[in-house]
C-alpha cells in the first residue's frame, strides 16, 4: 500500500530552520516571562535525554503496515477504511414515519447514522496520525536519530518531535528502540518479563505473580513473536498491544540465543502508582494515603483504583432499591470505571469534569436509562464521604491550602511564584485576555493576547495551582532521576525513555534506576517542603501590602524513608 496516497505533500522545495523556544508556552506566558528561570541542572537533563540514540523497530513497523493493509484495528492502529453507513430507509417507510409523527423512530434512524459518522470522523484523525508515523518511520529506516527535549512552564519535559516519541501513544513507543543493544543479564531478563506482564495489563500483581504469569503464558508469548498475524494472536489482547508485541519479539530472541548473548534493544519502564497522590502524600506525610499508593515497605501491592472501585460498588448496592441509576450501574463498576476520576482528583478535576469523563470514556454507553443522569449519579456517589472515605483526605487538605494561597494573592492580582527542588522558578499567571475581531478575506479571525492591565483570572488561578504544583514537583523528581542517574560513578545510565512519571532505560539498568528513583524522591521530601513553600509565599508578599495567607495543614507521621524499601513505589 502506498502510504503517501491521499496525503498532501507539504514538504517540498527548500527548508528553513524553525526556531523553537526551549520553554514552551501557549497564550499565557507564565514562567517564560521571567529572566533565566531554568537552572543549569535542568538544561543538562534535557541535553542528556536528547543524547539517547534511537532507531525504528523494523519488526513492529512491518507488523503495523500488515495490520493497516488488512483493514484491521489492533490497539492504536485503526481501520484503514470507514465504517459503512446503514442503508437509507425506503421512501414509503420514511414518509409513513413522518406522517405518523414517529419522533422516536426518526430519532433512532438519525442517531444510528450520527454515531457512525462520529466514529468515522474519529477514525480519520487516527488514520492520518498513523500514516504520518509510518511515513516517518520509512524515511528514517535504519538511521540513528535523537529527540531534542524542551520543558513547559512547570518544568515538565517533552520531546520536540511530535509524531514518534516516548510521550506519544502505544504505537509510537513500540516503534522506538535503542540504537545500540546490550547483552541481557539475568536481572535484565527478569525485568523484560515484568515489562511483558505490565504491558498486558497485569501490573496490579506482585512481581512474583507477574513472573509466574509470563511462565504460564510462555508458549503464547513465543507464538505472538513467531506468528503475530496467523497464530493465536494473544498479543492483541494486551492493554499496550504493540509494546507487548515488541517485548514478545525480544523475549523470543533471549529464548533462542540465551542470556549473555541476546541483545536488549527495547526500553523497559517502571511506572509510579498514582503519582499525584504520591507527591501530595509526601507533602503532608500522610501514612494512610502513602500506603494505598505503595510508598511503604509493605510487600503487598496496593491498588488504589481497585480499592475505590469496591468502595463505590458498595455505595451503589445500597441505593439499588431507591435509585434507578444505581440499578443501571449495579454490576458495571470496576477499577477502569474509577481510574481516571481518582487519578485526576489531585489535579483539581471538577465534578462536571468527572461526569464528562464517565461519558467520554464510554462507561455509560451500554447502561439502561439516560447517560447524563447515570453519569451524574455515579459522580456524586464517587465523591461522597462514604465512597472516598479518608483515603485521600489529607492530600485534599494540601490541595485546599494551595487553592487558598492562590486566591489570597489573586485578590491583589499577584501571580504565584515558587522554586522547585531542581532550582526552577515556576510562575503561574493566568492574566485576562484582550480580544479583537478582525475581518479578513478568509473570514473572521480573533486576535488574543494576555493583558496584565485587565488583572488575573482569579478562578483560574485558584483551580490551576494544585495541579501545576504537583506537575512541577513530579517534573523535578524526573529531572533529579536523570541528573543523578546519568552521573552514577558505577554503571551510569546513559539511555533514557521518559514519560513524566514512567521512567525507562535498558532492562539491565532497572535495578540501578529503581534505587535512584527512590533516593531522589526521599532527598526531595526529607525536607519540610510544605513549610518551605509557605515561607516562599510569605516572602513573595510585597512590603506595601498586607495579604493574609492560610496556615499550612498539619503534617502526619509518615516516615518518608520508607520509600527506600517500597517495592511497588515505581513498578
Amino acid at each position: 500500500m502506498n502510504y503517501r496516497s491521499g496525503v498532501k505533500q507539504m514538504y517540498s522545495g527548500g527548508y528553513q530552520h524553525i526556531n523553537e523556544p526551549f520553554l514552551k508556552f501557549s497564550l499565557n506566558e507564565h514562567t517564560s516571562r521571567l529572566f533565566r528561570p531554568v537552572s543549569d541542572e535542568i538544561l543538562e537533563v534535557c541535553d542528556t535525554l536528547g543524547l539517547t540514540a534511537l532507531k525504528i523497530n523494523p519488526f513492529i513497523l512491518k507488523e503495523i503496515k500488515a495490520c493497516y493493509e488488512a483493514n484491521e484495528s489492533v490497539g492504536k492502529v485503526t481501520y484503514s477504511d470507514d465504517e459503512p453507513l446503514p442503508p437509507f430507509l425506503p421512501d414509503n417507510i420514511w414518509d409513513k414515519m413522518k406522517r405518523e409523527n414517529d419522533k422516536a423512530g426518526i430519532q433512532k434512524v438519525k442517531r444510528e447514522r450520527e454515531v457512525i459518522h462520529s466514529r468515522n470522523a474519529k477514525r480519520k484523525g487516527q488514520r492520518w496520525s498513523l500514516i504520518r508515523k509510518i511515513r516517518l518511520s520509512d524515511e528514517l529506516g535504519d538511521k540513528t536519530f535523537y529527540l531534542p527535549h524542551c520543558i513547559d512552564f512547570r518544568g515538565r519535559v517533552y520531546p520536540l518531535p511530535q509524531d514518534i516519541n516516548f510521550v506519544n501513544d502505544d504505537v509510537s513507543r513500540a516503534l522506538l528502540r535503542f540504537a545500540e543493544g546490550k547483552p541481557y543479564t539475568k536481572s535484565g531478563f527478569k525485568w523484560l518479563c515484568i515489562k511483558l506482564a505490565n504491558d498486558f495489563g497485569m501490573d496490579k500483581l506482585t512481581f512474583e505473580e507477574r513472573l509466574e504469569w509470563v511462565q504460564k503464558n510462555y508458549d503464547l508469548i513465543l507464538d505472538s513473536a513467531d506468528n503475530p498475524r496467523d497464530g493465536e494472536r494473544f498479543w492483541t489482547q494486551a492493554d499496550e498491544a504493540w509494546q507487548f508485541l515488541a517485548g514478545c519479539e525480544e523475549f523470543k530472541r533471549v529464548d533462542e540465543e540465551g542470556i549473555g548473548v541476546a541483545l536488549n534493544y527495547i526500553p523497559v519502564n517502571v511506572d509510579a502508582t498514582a503519582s499525584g497522590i504520591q507527591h501530595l502524600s509526601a507533602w503532608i506525610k500522610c501514612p494512610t494515603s502513602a500506603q494505598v499508593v505503595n510508598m511503604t515497605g509493605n510487600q503487598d501491592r496496593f491498588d488504589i483504583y481497585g480499592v475505590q472501585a469496591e468502595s463505590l460498588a458498595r455505595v451503589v448496592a445500597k441505593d439499588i432499591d431507591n435509585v434507578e441509576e444505581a440499578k443501571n450501574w449495579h454490576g458495571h463498576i470496576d477499577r477502569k470505571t474509577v481510574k481516571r476520576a481518582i487519578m485526576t482528583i489531585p489535579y483539581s478535576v471538577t465534578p462536571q469534569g468527572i461526569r464528562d469523563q464517565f461519558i467520554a470514556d464510554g462507561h455509560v454507553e451500554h447502561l439502561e436509562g439516560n447517560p447524563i443522569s447515570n453519569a451524574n449519579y455515579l459522580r456524586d456517589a464517587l465523591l461522597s464521604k462514604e465512597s472516598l472515605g479518608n483515603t485521600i483526605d489529607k492530600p485534599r487538605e494540601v490541595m485546599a491550602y494551595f487553592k487558598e494561597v492562590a486566591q489570597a494573592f489573586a485578590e491583589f492580582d499577584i501571580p504565584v511564584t515558587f522554586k522547585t527542588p531542581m532550582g526552577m522558578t515556576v510562575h503561574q499567571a493566568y492574566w485576562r485576555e484582550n480580544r479583537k475581531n478582525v475581518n479578513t478575506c478568509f473570514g473572521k479571525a480573533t486576535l488574543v493576547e494576555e493583558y496584565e492591565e485587565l488583572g488575573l483570572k482569579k478562578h483560574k488561578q485558584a483551580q490551576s495551582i494544585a495541579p501545576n504544583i504537583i506537575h512541577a514537583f513530579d517534573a523535578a523528581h524526573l529531572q533529579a532521576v536523570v541528573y543523578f542517574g546519568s552521573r552514577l560513578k558505577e554503571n551510569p545510565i546513559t539511555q533514557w525513555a521518559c514519560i513524566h512519571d514512567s521512567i525507562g532505560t535498558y532492562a539491565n539498568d532497572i535495578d540501578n534506576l529503581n534505587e535512584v528513583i527512590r533516593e531522589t524522591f526521599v532527598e526531595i521530601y526529607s525536607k519540610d517542603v510544605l513549610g518551605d513553600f509557605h515561607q516562599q509565599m510569605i516572602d513573595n508578599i510585597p512590603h506595601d501590602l498586607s495579604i493574609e495567607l492560610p496556615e499550612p495543614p498539619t503534617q502526619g507521621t509518615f516516615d518518608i524513608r520508607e520509600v527506600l524499601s517500597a517495592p511497588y513505589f515505581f513498578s
Side-chain angles (χ1 to χ4, degrees):
M1 179 177 287
N2 180 8
Y3 297 99
R4 296 178 182 275
S5 63
V7 180
K8 184 179 178 182
Q9 296 297 303
M10 296 179 289
Y11 309 112
S12 59
Y15 290 89
Q16 179 179 359
H17 287 293
I18 300 173
N19 291 324
E20 285 285 337
F22 172 70
L23 209 162
K24 305 288 279 186
F25 63 92
S26 53
L27 177 60
N28 297 107
E29 295 182 3
H30 296 302
T31 305
S32 61
R33 283 196 171 202
L34 306 182
F35 177 70
R36 295 205 65 182
V38 181
S39 66
D40 290 343
E41 289 79 7
I42 295 175
L43 295 175
E44 186 174 326
V45 165
C46 291
D47 284 343
T48 299
L49 295 174
L51 289 172
T52 295
L54 301 167
K55 284 188 176 183
I56 294 297
N57 188 324
F59 171 74
I60 292 297
L61 178 59
K62 183 186 78 169
E63 295 306 324
I64 287 173
K65 286 181 177 180
C67 185
Y68 186 75
E69 288 169 358
N71 191 30
E72 290 185 29
S73 177
V74 178
K76 294 296 182 180
V77 171
T78 190
Y79 296 100
S80 52
D81 295 334
D82 280 347
E83 181 179 350
L85 291 168
F88 285 107
L89 289 178
D91 288 344
N92 61 321
I93 295 178
W94 182 251
D95 290 341
K96 181 181 178 184
M97 291 171 69
K98 291 171 70 175
R99 281 197 309 272
E100 295 177 355
N101 198 25
D102 184 4
K103 293 182 180 179
I106 292 172
Q107 184 62 33
K108 181 182 178 183
V109 172
K110 289 182 176 180
R111 179 60 182 162
E112 286 176 354
R113 301 183 72 84
E114 180 185 321
V115 167
I116 295 176
H117 270 300
S118 298
R119 281 204 292 261
N120 283 338
K122 185 177 180 180
R123 276 189 195 180
K124 184 177 181 181
Q126 293 170 336
R127 195 178 300 136
W128 283 90
S129 174
L130 179 64
I131 289 174
R132 287 198 305 271
K133 291 181 178 72
I134 293 173
R135 289 180 56 201
L136 181 56
S137 298
D138 279 337
E139 289 175 19
L140 288 168
D142 193 44
K143 296 175 185 173
T144 298
F145 59 93
Y146 304 84
L147 302 176
H149 283 67
C150 62
I151 60 172
D152 70 7
F153 77 96
R154 301 157 301 189
R156 295 197 102 191
V157 179
Y158 291 91
L160 277 167
Q162 294 299 302
D163 286 313
I164 298 179
N165 59 57
F166 290 116
V167 180
N168 211 314
D169 61 15
D170 175 43
V171 169
S172 178
R173 296 174 198 172
L175 281 167
L176 290 171
R177 67 169 192 164
F178 295 129
E180 300 294 330
K182 275 189 176 183
Y184 267 101
T185 62
K186 187 176 180 180
S187 169
F189 181 62
K190 179 193 78 172
W191 281 106
L192 171 64
C193 293
I194 291 172
K195 169 192 164 55
L196 282 168
N198 289 350
D199 288 340
F200 200 87
M202 299 295 142
D203 51 315
K204 280 74 68 180
L205 304 177
T206 65
F207 289 134
E208 291 75 16
E209 289 169 336
R210 293 181 223 184
L211 295 173
E212 289 171 5
W213 180 88
V214 170
Q215 189 61 38
K216 178 183 175 182
N217 294 285
Y218 177 89
D219 292 336
L220 289 170
I221 290 170
L222 292 180
D223 177 74
S224 294
D226 281 328
N227 304 292
R229 290 189 45 74
D230 301 322
E232 298 293 329
R233 296 173 65 83
F234 177 64
W235 66 277
T236 63
Q237 302 170 36
D239 285 357
E240 305 288 349
W242 294 99
Q243 290 176 82
F244 181 77
L245 182 59
C248 291
E249 192 265 342
E250 199 135 309
F251 182 89
K252 175 196 168 191
R253 284 193 287 103
V254 179
D255 184 67
E256 292 175 345
E257 301 170 21
I259 291 173
V261 178
L263 299 180
N264 171 209
Y265 285 101
I266 63 173
V268 172
N269 282 60
V270 286
D271 300 352
T273 303
S275 62
I277 299 176
Q278 285 181 336
H279 282 277
L280 289 170
S281 299
W283 274 77
I284 196 69
K285 304 295 190 295
C286 174
T288 303
S289 56
Q291 176 163 301
V292 296
V293 289
N294 297 304
M295 295 173 67
T296 72
N298 197 310
Q299 296 303 301
D300 294 326
R301 204 261 186 216
F302 287 89
D303 177 17
I304 187 173
Y305 308 120
V307 169
Q308 292 299 155
E310 291 173 5
S311 178
L312 178 59
R314 287 194 293 270
V315 172
V316 170
K318 287 183 179 180
D319 288 344
I320 284 179
D321 294 334
N322 303 312
V323 182
E324 187 66 30
E325 288 80 8
K327 294 178 185 177
N328 299 337
W329 276 108
H330 185 59
H332 297 284
I333 296 171
D334 58 23
R335 71 184 305 277
K336 289 184 179 179
T337 314
V338 305
K339 181 175 180 180
R340 192 174 172 201
I342 298 300
M343 186 186 296
T344 51
I345 283 175
Y347 301 103
S348 298
V349 64
T350 63
Q352 182 174 335
I354 292 176
R355 181 201 71 181
D356 294 344
Q357 288 171 2
F358 288 143
I359 297 171
D361 294 346
H363 297 306
V364 300
E365 281 185 7
H366 306 295
L367 301 181
E368 297 291 331
N370 183 279
I372 294 178
S373 298
N374 286 333
N376 281 336
Y377 166 77
L378 199 69
R379 181 252 344 256
D380 295 340
L382 174 70
L383 294 176
S384 68
K385 179 69 176 176
E386 190 177 359
S387 173
L388 281 181
N390 63 352
T391 307
I392 55 174
D393 276 357
K394 295 299 285 185
R396 293 176 84 180
E397 284 184 24
V398 187
M399 293 172 61
Y401 162 74
F402 291 151
K403 187 174 182 179
E404 289 175 21
V405 168
Q407 287 172 331
F409 279 108
E411 288 300 320
F412 295 87
D413 285 322
I414 298 174
V416 177
T417 305
F418 60 92
K419 267 198 178 294
T420 74
M422 285 296 284
M424 178 173 175
T425 304
V426 176
H427 184 71
Q428 177 188 287
Y430 291 98
W431 298 107
R432 295 184 182 278
E433 297 98 14
N434 189 20
R435 296 172 179 266
K436 185 175 180 63
N437 293 323
V438 179
N439 292 319
T440 74
C441 57
F442 299 105
K444 289 185 178 181
T446 303
L447 303 179
V448 184
E449 63 175 345
E450 60 179 5
Y451 203 61
E452 283 190 41
E453 284 77 1
L454 296 176
L456 288 169
K457 298 177 183 176
K458 295 177 173 56
H459 180 72
K460 181 70 172 175
Q461 282 288 110
Q463 283 296 112
S464 301
I465 189 62
N468 284 337
I469 289 174
I470 295 168
H471 281 313
F473 273 72
D474 192 41
H477 180 222
L478 170 61
Q479 293 157 9
V481 170
V482 175
Y483 184 79
F484 291 104
S486 61
R487 289 168 162 244
L488 292 173
K489 291 183 179 179
E490 294 184 14
N491 301 317
I493 301 170
T494 59
Q495 305 296 291
W496 298 87
C498 297
I499 315 157
H500 304 315
D501 60 356
S502 174
I503 309 174
T505 184
Y506 285 109
N508 296 349
D509 293 331
I510 292 295
D511 286 332
N512 275 350
L513 176 61
N514 271 324
E515 286 186 20
V516 177
I517 287 172
R518 287 153 178 77
E519 288 170 358
T520 50
F521 192 88
V522 169
E523 177 65 24
I524 289 171
Y525 287 107
S526 290
K527 305 176 180 67
D528 181 8
V529 175
L530 188 55
D532 289 347
F533 177 84
H534 189 70
Q535 187 58 51
Q536 287 184 55
M537 297 303 101
I538 292 172
D539 295 342
N540 288 345
I541 298 174
H543 297 303
D544 58 339
L545 291 178
S546 176
I547 299 177
E548 187 174 342
L549 296 178
E551 286 298 316
T554 303
Q555 297 186 45
T557 59
F558 176 64
D559 184 354
I560 197 67
R561 290 173 298 179
E562 281 200 53
V563 168
L564 295 173
S565 59
Y568 301 105
F569 176 58
F570 270 66
S571 64

